[in-house]
Amino acid sequence: MSDPPSDPTPPRPVVILVEPQLAENIGMTARAMANFGLAELRLVAPKGGWPKKGVRETASGATHVLDGATLHATVAEAIADLHHVLATTARERGQMKRVLGPDEAMRAVAARQQAGERVGILFGRERVGLSNDEVSLADAIITFPVDPKHASLNLAQSVLLVAYEWRRAAGLAQLPFDGEMRSPPAPREALLALFGTLEGALDRAGYFPPEKRGGMVRNLRDMLHRMQMTEQDVRSLHGALRALSREAADE
């Protein structure tokens, strides 16, 4: 059994799936949770029992989420130890509850968790979602600002959106890599040498009209300056120019 990733952070939201039917949806939910650092999954009366055949294949390595999943007979049982519960729904329910987008909802969740509260998020059945009675057990509703012409979200997609917003709200949304230069800026000596190599090659190729050479050279140098080249950039251009010079000499 794989171990869940460990971070010294406050408690994380509990994801509660109510009567999920398809193994692939549960597996992809586990994958979405693991993508953004969630690990606690509760299953309320999954259709066809548990575990389900094929569920691990769609989890894409998030087996620690599946291995730690707990079974519950009812929603009331699944949320009994929680301090705050949110219900996801795509439909207006006529209930006097706060309705939040996932970003606002997860900011409030992160604040509650900093205070030590345990929070759970209810996700309903693939076809019909949560019942009105199940929604009534929640403190507030999460809904998504989808295009009304195509408002249906897959179960795992809903979990993914909420998990992503939670990670942002919790201050954990650090990009795994950046475009930072790995080579230091080229020193002036290297740039001047490159200018000389390039201009010499162009002179030999007859590129510059004699009366325009000065202005064209300055334009080329300004263009190269704007590139803010690194040492690696200069080495690469030198290599390219040398290869072109050899090719020209062999002809």
Side-chain angles (χ1 to χ4, degrees):
M1 181 174 76
S2 349
D3 293 323
S6 58
D7 283 330
T9 55
R12 301 175 181 219
V14 177
V15 171
I16 305 163
L17 304 186
V18 180
E19 296 187 4
Q21 180 175 358
L22 301 176
E24 54 264 38
N25 282 338
I26 302 174
M28 288 188 292
T29 289
R31 178 179 183 177
M33 291 171 62
N35 284 152
F36 296 105
L38 303 184
E40 188 170 351
L41 176 63
R42 300 182 184 183
L43 304 174
V44 177
K47 297 292 186 181
W50 181 259
K52 289 178 175 290
K53 183 179 179 181
V55 69
R56 299 176 76 85
E57 287 76 3
T58 55
S60 189
T63 52
H64 64 278
V65 177
L66 298 175
D67 293 337
T70 57
L71 292 178
H72 304 269
T74 64
V75 171
E77 176 188 311
I79 65 175
D81 63 327
L82 304 177
H83 301 102
H84 191 75
V85 177
L86 298 164
T88 58
T89 179
R91 303 191 310 276
E92 197 277 325
R93 301 304 187 105
Q95 299 187 27
M96 297 294 291
K97 288 186 183 295
R98 288 172 301 145
V99 177
L100 309 171
D103 51 350
E104 182 183 3
M106 292 303 103
R107 286 195 297 269
V109 166
R112 287 180 177 277
Q113 291 181 313
Q114 287 289 346
E117 293 188 27
R118 294 273 288 153
V119 179
I121 306 164
L122 293 170
F123 296 86
R125 303 155 185 84
E126 287 94 334
R127 290 189 60 192
V128 298
L130 297 167
S131 71
N132 286 339
D133 285 342
E134 290 161 347
V135 172
S136 74
L137 299 176
D139 297 280
I141 286 171
I142 299 176
T143 196
F144 303 96
V146 293
D147 186 335
K149 295 177 183 177
H150 196 79
S152 175
L153 282 174
N154 172 271
L155 178 59
Q157 290 174 327
S158 299
V159 173
L160 184 76
L161 288 173
V162 169
Y164 168 71
E165 291 294 351
W166 173 81
R167 191 165 185 84
R168 291 182 63 212
L172 300 174
Q174 304 299 318
L175 296 179
F177 58 88
D178 58 33
E180 182 181 356
M181 290 188 297
R182 299 295 189 264
S183 177
R188 188 61 34 166
E189 180 183 23
L191 281 174
L192 294 177
L194 177 63
F195 293 163
T197 301
L198 176 60
E199 292 157 19
L202 292 174
D203 278 330
R204 290 190 294 276
Y207 176 74
F208 298 115
E211 71 280 5
K212 295 183 179 179
R213 187 184 187 281
M216 292 177 72
V217 164
R218 288 190 292 274
N219 287 339
L220 281 173
R221 292 177 180 179
D222 288 343
M223 179 179 68
L224 293 172
H225 279 307
R226 288 195 296 272
M227 293 172 63
Q228 299 182 9
M229 288 186 290
T230 66
E231 288 183 355
Q232 182 59 56
D233 294 333
V234 170
R235 286 195 295 269
S236 296
L237 281 175
H238 263 303
L241 288 170
R242 283 195 297 269
L244 289 172
S245 295
R246 286 195 300 270
E247 180 70 18
D250 292 341
E251 291 178 352

